Amino acid sequence: AQSVTQLGSHVSVSEGALVLLRCNYSSSVPPYLFWYVQYPNQGLQLLLKYTSAATLVKGINGFEAEFKKSETSFHLTKPSAHMSDAAEYFCAVSDTLGNQGGKLIFGQGTELSVKP
Amino acid sequence: GAGVSQSPSNKVTEKGKDVELRCDPISGHTALYWYRQRLGQGLEFLIYFQGNSAPDKSGLPSDRFSAERTGESVSTLTIQRTQQEDSAVYLCASSVRDSGNTIYFGEGSWLTVV
């Protein structure tokens, strides 16, 4: 079975500060990993995904995430927060073997607030 | 259209009524997913379609929930005898194939049961 744990339901940073959103996964098979962002009253938008190529993945809006197998982590970072980054962020895992149809298992989400 | 389209965008219904939520996936996407998002919570997987078949219905919360897909395109999620705990955003998503391909989400159908 697969699962995702996002540490911290709410993270607050100052504008210009480093953003670090934590995600740990559990998977019995090599995983695919994803970060999605959800702005208020909108659907989910893919930020980036890891599919067993490079372990450091760069996404949109200056975000990146590093896959660390030894730590079963896929933390999301951005060097300098912008006010427009305020949103809900979801980490998700799917299996690589197609046994579960590629469905995503989501974490509970982390709400990012950016203070001026 | 270019993206996943869902209708209605908002629905208020009385407890005990049936509701149907519609999803139009991106053209050519064979995989289709339904998720539920309760207020302030994460996304719960409901059901997955590959073509018109649903190999994984494990997330449907009760027998009041059902879904179908026709023409390897449109899908309908039906909730019978709605209860207040069914109030949530119901998100549909699609992808080209399964496993590792980007899953694209619609903007959701906001259901309120009063």
Side-chain angles (χ1 to χ4, degrees):
Chain A
Q2 296 176 306
S3 66
V4 172
T5 301
Q6 291 184 239
L7 299 176
S9 59
H10 192 164
V11 170
S12 181
V13 300
S14 297
E15 191 173 20
L18 171 71
V19 176
L20 171 61
L21 304 182
R22 299 178 185 274
C23 172
N24 288 88
Y25 70 91
S26 172
S27 179
S28 57
V29 299
Y32 292 137
L33 293 159
F34 305 78
W35 276 99
Y36 281 83
V37 60
Q38 186 178 36
Y39 297 101
N41 300 319
Q42 295 187 25
L44 275 74
Q45 180 182 5
L46 180 71
L47 273 179
L48 49 81
K49 65 178 182 180
Y50 166 76
T51 56
S52 74
T55 56
L56 182 62
V57 182
K58 294 188 184 298
I60 61 171
N61 302 339
F63 284 92
E64 63 182 34
E66 185 173 8
F67 172 68
K68 291 187 177 180
K69 183 178 178 180
S70 62
E71 299 178 6
T72 61
S73 69
F74 191 58
H75 302 330
L76 182 71
T77 61
K78 181 174 180 177
S80 177
H82 191 272
M83 297 295 291
S84 61
D85 294 327
E88 187 91 17
Y89 291 81
F90 292 95
C91 182
V93 63
S94 73
D95 83 85
T96 55
L97 301 182
N99 295 333
Q100 296 185 50
K103 74 182 184 189
L104 297 175
I105 304 300
F106 284 87
Q108 289 300 301
T110 298
E111 183 180 356
L112 176 66
S113 300
V114 182
K115 299 175 291 186
Chain B
V4 178
S5 178
Q6 292 187 245
S7 61
S9 55
N10 284 282
K11 174 75 175 179
V12 179
T13 191
E14 292 181 352
K15 178 181 173 181
K17 301 281 190 182
D18 298 352
V19 296
E20 286 190 350
L21 307 176
R22 176 188 168 106
C23 173
D24 282 273
I26 295 172
S27 178
H29 282 195
T30 59
L32 186 148
Y33 311 83
W34 283 99
Y35 286 83
R36 178 170 71 176
Q37 185 179 26
R38 289 186 166 131
L39 187 64
Q41 298 188 22
L43 280 78
E44 302 172 68
F45 167 78
L46 297 179
I47 187 170
Y48 152 66
F49 287 92
Q50 181 60 251
N52 293 333
S53 300
D56 189 349
K57 306 178 184 179
S58 62
L60 293 178
S62 75
D63 59 8
R64 295 187 297 104
F65 287 72
S66 63
E68 65 174 12
R69 188 180 185 193
T70 57
E72 299 195 354
S73 180
V74 173
S75 176
T76 302
L77 176 68
T78 301
I79 309 173
Q80 295 178 309
R81 305 181 303 280
T82 51
Q83 303 294 313
Q84 287 186 330
E85 62 263 28
D86 300 334
S87 296
V89 179
Y90 290 83
L91 291 162
C92 178
S94 69
S95 73
V96 175
R97 299 184 305 275
D98 53 19
S99 293
N101 291 283
T102 298
I103 296 178
Y104 296 89
F105 283 82
E107 296 204 349
S109 291
W110 294 69
L111 175 66
T112 303
V113 182
V114 297

